[in-house]
Amino acid sequence: MDNLIKMSDEQLVRSYMNGDNVAFDVLLNRHQKKLYSYIFFSVRNRDVAEDIFQEAFVKAIMTIRQGKYTEQSKFPAWITRIAHNLIIDFYRQERNQNTISNDETKVDIFNNIQLSEATVEANMVTSQTFNDVKQLMELLPQNQREVVYMRYYQNLSFKEIAEATNVSINTALGRMRYALLNLRRMARDKNVVLTLD
Amino acid sequence: MTHSTLSENLSPSAKTIRFLQLFARNYRSVELADGEQMSLILS
C-alpha cells in the first residue's frame, strides 16, 4: 500500500491495468475531491454531480480495462475531460444554458493592459480576493466558469484545459479573458474589490 | 443563491465510492474471436 501511495498516476493506471485493484482505489482516492468539486461547481446540483462523477469514473475504468488508455497527457486532465464531456451532455439535455456566451463576440479586448493575464492573475491568487472571486464565479457562463476553475483550482495548464474542453488553446485563453473581464465588471457592479493595490 | 465553497474540496458520497471500487474490481473486457470486445460485470 505504501508503495502504491508513492506511485505516479500513470504508474497506478498501469498497475490497475495489470490487475492490481488497490491501485485503482489509490487513484480514486487521490482525485475524487478535486474532480467532484469541479463537477459540482459546474452543475451546482449534488445529485447530478454524483451521477456525472460516477459515470466519468465508470468510463475511465472501462477504458483502462479495455487496454485503450493511451493518454499522453496527465490522468487528472484526462478524467477532467471525460467529466467535461458529460457536463456538456447534461447541459444539452437540460437545455439550461440561458446565460450569455461571449465566444462569438467580436470586440477586441485583448490589447487592454488591465486585462493582461499577469496583472489579473497576480491579483486573483490573493486569498482575500479569492473568496470574493469564487462567489462572483457562480455568475459566469458555464464555459467561462470551468476554465477559471480548471486554471486556478485544478492548476491545469491552458493546453490541458483546451484538451479537456475540446477547444483550441486560443479559445480557452479567450474564455479566460472574457471570464476575467466579466469578473471585473461584476466586482465593480457589486462593489467588490478585486485588487489589493 | 447558495454559493459553493471552492476552497473546501467537496467529496462524493461513500456509496458512490463503494460502487466505483466494486465496479473497478468486477468489470472485465473480453476480446472475442472476431475482434469485438465484450464487457462483463462479474458478481
Side-chain angles (χ1 to χ4, degrees):
Chain A
M1 186 71 174
D2 281 352
N3 280 349
L4 289 172
I5 288 169
K6 289 173 189 164
M7 280 185 179
S8 70
D9 292 335
E10 302 313 310
Q11 289 171 321
L12 289 170
V13 170
R14 275 196 296 277
S15 292
Y16 175 58
M17 210 183 278
N18 294 329
D20 185 348
N21 292 321
V22 182
F24 173 81
D25 296 346
V26 175
L27 204 57
L28 178 62
N29 187 53
R30 191 178 286 177
H31 296 290
Q32 57 170 285
K33 287 187 177 180
K34 276 198 172 180
L35 186 70
Y36 181 81
S37 298
Y38 158 65
I39 297 167
F40 177 77
F41 189 61
S42 294
V43 299
R44 289 174 284 191
N45 177 300
R46 275 196 180 272
D47 291 335
V48 175
E50 202 85 32
D51 286 348
I52 291 176
F53 175 85
Q54 182 171 302
E55 198 173 339
F57 263 101
V58 163
K59 280 179 184 286
I61 290 165
M62 292 172 72
T63 303
I64 294 168
R65 279 286 199 217
Q66 289 170 7
K68 292 178 181 170
Y69 181 81
T70 54
E71 283 298 308
Q72 300 303 314
S73 57
K74 291 185 235 166
F75 180 83
W78 179 62
I79 192 85
T80 300
R81 185 164 71 241
I82 295 174
H84 163 82
N85 289 334
L86 293 169
I87 291 166
I88 295 299
D89 289 346
F90 164 74
Y91 275 111
R92 278 190 187 132
Q93 284 169 7
E94 292 292 306
R95 303 205 178 280
N96 195 26
Q97 204 148 8
N98 51 8
T99 47
I100 300 165
S101 167
N102 293 309
D103 275 8
E104 288 81 32
T105 308
K106 301 295 183 193
V107 179
D108 180 11
I109 62 163
F110 301 115
N111 289 327
N112 186 337
I113 188 67
Q114 290 184 315
L115 296 172
S116 72
E117 211 179 294
T119 307
V120 179
E121 182 168 341
N123 291 330
M124 284 180 66
V125 293
T126 318
S127 60
Q128 171 84 35
T129 309
F130 236 17
N131 287 330
D132 294 330
V133 169
K134 73 187 180 191
Q135 294 194 2
L136 294 177
M137 278 171 65
E138 292 277 356
L139 305 172
L140 289 174
Q142 191 269 338
N143 60 13
Q144 294 172 21
R145 194 168 64 236
E146 74 176 354
V147 171
V148 175
Y149 189 92
M150 288 177 181
R151 183 73 187 97
Y152 293 107
Y153 293 90
Q154 293 191 298
N155 293 320
L156 298 185
S157 67
F158 278 105
K159 183 173 181 292
E160 289 169 330
I161 292 169
E163 287 172 1
T165 56
N166 287 323
V167 298
S168 67
I169 292 177
N170 276 343
T171 299
L173 284 165
R175 285 178 179 174
M176 174 62 86
R177 289 195 171 97
Y178 279 115
L180 297 177
L181 180 68
N182 282 334
L183 286 171
R184 280 181 170 272
R185 181 178 50 77
M186 291 187 292
R188 196 170 55 239
D189 292 349
K190 294 177 184 300
N191 292 322
V192 173
V193 178
L194 285 183
T195 62
L196 298 179
D197 295 337
Chain B
M1 175 188 289
T2 56
H3 295 295
S4 63
T5 51
L6 290 178
S7 51
E8 314 158 7
N9 275 323
L10 302 166
S11 295
S13 68
K15 190 179 163 190
T16 296
I17 295 301
R18 185 70 193 131
F19 167 82
L20 288 170
Q21 288 173 333
L22 284 172
F23 185 81
R25 278 158 178 71
N26 296 328
Y27 177 81
R28 295 284 185 281
S29 179
V30 179
E31 190 167 333
L32 303 177
D34 60 4
E36 274 200 48
Q37 283 197 313
M38 188 172 77
S39 293
L40 301 170
I41 311 290
L42 307 178
S43 58

